[in-house]
Structure formats: structure tokens, C-alpha cells
Amino acid sequence: MGLGTTAVSPAHSGRARHKRDCEDSSRRDPQGKLEPGDIVEGKRLEYYNEIGRCWMRCSVIDVNAETGGVRLNLNPDRVLTLIEQRKRLRPLTCPNPAQLEWVRETLRDGRFDEEARE
């Protein structure tokens, strides 16, 4: 994982597994639609990593105006085509109130290590 990135671990029973997780990332479908014009250099997004089966925070470092291909800070040598972008990129997401409450309870009850092992 590159600097400044955070893996979003799969959630268990719809609960965030890490306080920086944003949602149930076991679901691969992007939650928000991104149009090619929405993706600009410097934009922060989430990228779906097939190997780790998780969403990772990333930044766009280059956009090819002719092809629409983008390069991300996670793997600067790779260009994502428009088709790959639709499958693997989504806007940053935020935790819902139930996920925030689960994190608070887990930390308050000292169950963080136990939950991390599940």
C-alpha cells in the first residue's frame, strides 16, 4: 500500500471493522456514480483492490484528456481505462450513524482486538 492510503477492510454484519472504514466494503459495487469529467488530477477517491477485496483510498495523479485514462497514486505506472474506472473507482464514502456507534461501543468496551481477529 502506498503512503497516505488506507485499506477499507470488509465489514462484518454491516459494521465497520476499523474506525476509518466508511461502509460495508464487502460489496464490490461502487456506491456513487463517477462521470469521466468528475475525475480530475488531485481528486481523492476509493479504488477497489481485487486481490485484497477491499476499497482503498487514493488520489488521481494524472488524467489523459484524449483517452480519459487515469493514473492513481497507488500504482502510478498503471493507467485505468474508462471501463476499469466504472468498476473500480467510487467517490469517498462516509460512515453512517450505526457504524460510528459500533466503533464507539467497540472502543469503549475494549473489544477492538477481539473484533479485529474476527
Side-chain angles (χ1 to χ4, degrees), residues 9 16 24 31-32 38 40-41 44 47 51 64 70 73 75 79 85 89 91 95 97 99-100 102 105:
S9 305
D24 180 0
Q31 297 301 303
D38 295 340
V40 296
E41 190 173 332
R44 296 188 64 216
Y47 168 81
I51 295 170
N64 184 314
V70 299
N73 66 324
N75 189 353
V79 177
Q85 291 172 40
L89 294 179
Q99 291 166 331
L100 289 173
W102 177 83
E105 287 177 17

Side-chain angles (χ1 to χ4, degrees), residues 28 30 39 47-48 50 55 69-70 78-90:
R28 191 181 174 297
I39 301 175
Y47 168 81
Y48 187 77
E50 292 283 344
W55 289 96
V70 299
R78 181 161 187 252
V79 177
L80 289 176
T81 65
L82 291 172
I83 293 170
E84 290 175 303
Q85 291 172 40
R86 281 188 225 112
K87 294 177 182 177
R88 293 181 161 223
L89 294 179
R90 71 178 182 187

Side-chain angles (χ1 to χ4, degrees), residues 62-80:
D62 185 48
V63 178
N64 184 314
E66 292 179 18
T67 66
V70 299
R71 290 187 309 123
L72 305 174
N73 66 324
L74 298 175
N75 189 353
D77 296 330
R78 181 161 187 252
V79 177
L80 289 176

